[in-house]
């Protein structure tokens, strides 16, 4: 097996494991990352997201297993493989005593960009992250949002094939978070991206694929939409009908598979409800049948996308259950 | 441009922008100059007395020995106090700020980071120690005479001492994110190496003689007296190398606060 074959994947992670003392922070992780793919690493505090990214960035050597970046082994070719990686560590560490430009030149030199390319890249990155207005400001004096952008700037400098971002939106206000996500979405033009987060909504918004982690292992993986589909815990429907509120409530609750009914609002003569059902029960036809039978006029009935939050909670709960059984 | 030079430049840049660095250099030079002036003054008083009382024959009044040797001995103690303050930041601060993770994931090797930082601190040390070289020139200009061999070996001694103690300081800084702890540990190791030779002669048998070989003071003493011996140069080189390697190994352990 040649190490330098043209890879189909930007990143190949083979059964990596990280043990601190006797504690397994990451146990047996295997996955691949395709060109231009954005992967979300999702998990609660202590899941092992940072530890994983630190291994992928070449900071922590895995206790076991191998990592190949664009075909190069992180251990065998540390410099070559790291040249393909841009990494934004958790909490955005920066040299606060440098100006934005001085810092980025330092990083460009460390990444060994050639002088001509360096200038080009510097301009591109400053422009991409709208940092021109603060390029001669001290990093220590910048707002949190700008610091985060400087952190992202150093990561993407030199157009690395693989960009690793550890909780890139943590600590930002809602507006800055939205801006940051928009920037991250644009990164996959030149690179593959892995970002970690404990916000499920974030993954839904920016990732093509998600790995859900807990206690150092992958609980589930897939497209955010697939995952909600496959592992759906509950189904949610929104129903709008005309007429008698109490009668409808009773009727809906009598259907097998319906777990709860919540009245959302009344609009003109219509009432709107949220129905939560067991995922295995097909309640749609039953609901329609009964409503028609009782001559209740239906305005709408739609299945709402279930939230990744629920999937996630269920997965974590299942895992915890499993571990307490042992 | 190599990463060692890039890191070196950044560290020097940081020193140039730090008030503490200027303060340390100014303080070091002031104190060393004070030593020099007071030693020269007492020498001139004593030589005057000697001229007035030629009866005291067996005293050997030698400017080099009386001023320079004493000066270099005092400066060594100054080095022990100053070096930990210079080096304590080097890795502790990077650990505390988390920038070490940034630095060590760039396409550089750990040793390049250590060497870049080390060289920047040696540059600072050079500027602190350089005036020691100027004093003899000054004296020469007003008509005094120094044995230049001793001036050179003495200066070499100060630089070698600084080089090895800098390495100790950097190593201590890589141990902890607490700068004060780093400085205190570094100071303790330097002090230990300085005084360990004192017990060499306590016992007639030779089992304590290793303390003499280990003593930084003993190896310094001969250089300052104008004796250039390979074993002393090797001693300081090994000490430097040992602690720089230890620093690199420490970094490779990737011990973080979290
Ligand atoms: N250097 C270390 N030494 C010992 N234990 C560690 C070390 N780094 C991480 N851990 C432990 O490994 C586990 C995973 O930590 P990690 O930081 O990877 O989690 P995370 O998913 O990034 O969490 P968070 O959302 O809080 O950032 C935690 O229990 C943590 O205490
Ligand atoms: Mg984390």
């Amino acid at each position: 097996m040649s190490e330098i074959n043209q890879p189909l994947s930007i990143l190949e992670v083979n059964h990596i494991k990280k043990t601190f003392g006797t504690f397994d922070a990451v146990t047996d992780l295997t996955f691949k990352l395709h060109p231009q793919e954005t992967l979300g690493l999702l998990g609660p505090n202590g899941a092992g997201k940072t530890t994983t990214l630190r291994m992928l960035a070449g900071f922590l050597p895995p206790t076991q297993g191998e990592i190949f970046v664009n075909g190069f082994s992180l251990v065998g070719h540390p410099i070559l493989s790291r040249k393909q990686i841009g990494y934004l560590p958790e909490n955005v560490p920066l040299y606060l005593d440098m100006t934005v430009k001085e810092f980025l030149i330092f990083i460009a030199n460390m990444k060994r960009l050639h002088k001509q390319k360096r200038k080009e890249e510097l301009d591109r990155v400053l422009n991409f992250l709208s940092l021109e207005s603060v390029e001669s400001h001290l990093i220590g004096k910048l707002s949190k949002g700008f610091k985060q952008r400087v952190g992202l700037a150093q990561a993407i400098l030199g157009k690395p094939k693989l960009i690793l971002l550890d909780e890139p939106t943590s600590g930002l206000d809602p507006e800055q978070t939205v801006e940051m996500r928009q920037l991250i979405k644009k990164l996959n033009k030149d690179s593959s991206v892995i970002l970690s987060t404990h916000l499920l909504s974030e993954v839904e918004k920016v990732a093509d694929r998600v790995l859900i982690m807990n206690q150092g292992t992958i609980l589930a993986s897939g497209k955010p939409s697939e995952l909600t589909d496959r592992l759906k815990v509950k189904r949610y429907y929104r129903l709008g009908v005309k007429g008698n509120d109490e009668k409808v409530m009773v009727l809906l609750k009598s259907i097998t598979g319906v777990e709860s009914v919540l009245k959302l609002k009344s609009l003109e003569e219509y009432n709107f409800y949220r129905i939560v059902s067991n995922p295995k029960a097909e309640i749609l036809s039953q609901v329609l049948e009964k409503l028609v039978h009782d001559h209740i006029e239906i305005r709408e009935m739609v299945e709402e996308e279930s939230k990744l939050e629920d999937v996630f909670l269920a997965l974590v709960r299942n895992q915890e259950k499993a571990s307490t059984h042992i | 441009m190599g990463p060692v030079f890039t890191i070196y430049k950044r560290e020097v840049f940081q020193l140039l922008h730090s008030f503490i660095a200027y303060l340390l250099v100014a303080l070091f030079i002031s104190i060393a100059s004070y030593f020099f002036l007071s030693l020269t003054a007492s020498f001139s008083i004593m030589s005057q007395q000697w001229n007035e009382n030629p009866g005291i024959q067996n005293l050997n009044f030698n400017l080099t020995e009386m001023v320079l040797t004493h000066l270099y001995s005092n400066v060594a103690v100054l080095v022990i106090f100053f070096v930990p303050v210079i080096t304590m930041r080097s890795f502790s601060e990077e650990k505390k700020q988390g920038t070490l993770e940034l630095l060590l994931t760039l396409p550089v090797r750990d040793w390049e980071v250590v060497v870049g930082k080390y060289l920047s601190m040696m540059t600072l040390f050079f500027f602190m120690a350089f005036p020691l070289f100027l004093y003899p020139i000054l004296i020469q200009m007003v008509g005094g005479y120094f044995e230049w061999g001793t001036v050179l070996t003495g200066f070499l001694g100060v630089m070698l001492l600084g080089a090895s103690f800098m390495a100790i300081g950097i190593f201590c800084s890589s141990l902890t994110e607490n700068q004060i702890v780093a400085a205190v540990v570094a100071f303790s190791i330097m002090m230990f190496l300085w005084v360990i030779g004192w017990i060499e002669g306590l016992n007639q048998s030779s089992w304590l003689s290793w303390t003499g070989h280990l003593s930084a003071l003993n190896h310094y003493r001969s250089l300052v007296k104008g004796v250039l011996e390979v074993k002393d140069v090797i001693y300081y080189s090994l000490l430097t190398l040992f602690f720089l390697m230890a620093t690199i190994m420490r970094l490779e352990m990737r011990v973080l606060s979290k």
Side-chain angles (χ1 to χ4, degrees), chain A residues 173-200:
Chain A
D173 66 32
E175 200 180 322
Q176 293 168 335
T177 302
V178 171
E179 280 172 13
M180 196 60 162
R181 284 183 191 152
Q182 278 164 353
L183 290 169
I184 292 169
K185 273 197 212 167
K186 289 192 220 157
L187 295 180
N188 67 359
K189 251 201 314 192
D190 298 314
S191 317
S192 303
V193 182
I194 300 183
L195 80 155
S196 82
T197 176
H198 55 257
L199 295 177
L200 303 125

Side-chain angles (χ1 to χ4, degrees), chain A residues 44-51 53 90-91 166-167 196 198, chain B residues 258:
Chain A
N45 289 344
K49 305 181 296 289
T50 299
T51 305
L53 288 175
E90 195 173 20
N91 304 323
D166 199 352
E167 308 217 8
S196 82
H198 55 257
Chain B
K258 187 192 153 186

Side-chain angles (χ1 to χ4, degrees), chain B residues 48-77:
Chain B
Q48 218 168 347
Q49 284 171 349
W50 182 69
N51 282 336
E52 287 158 13
N53 307 289
I56 320 168
Q57 283 298 336
N58 52 353
L59 265 182
N60 175 21
F61 276 121
N62 176 319
L63 188 59
T64 308
E65 198 165 299
M66 289 210 55
V67 175
L68 267 194
T69 304
H70 279 103
L71 174 68
Y72 284 144
S73 302
N74 292 349
V75 162
V77 176

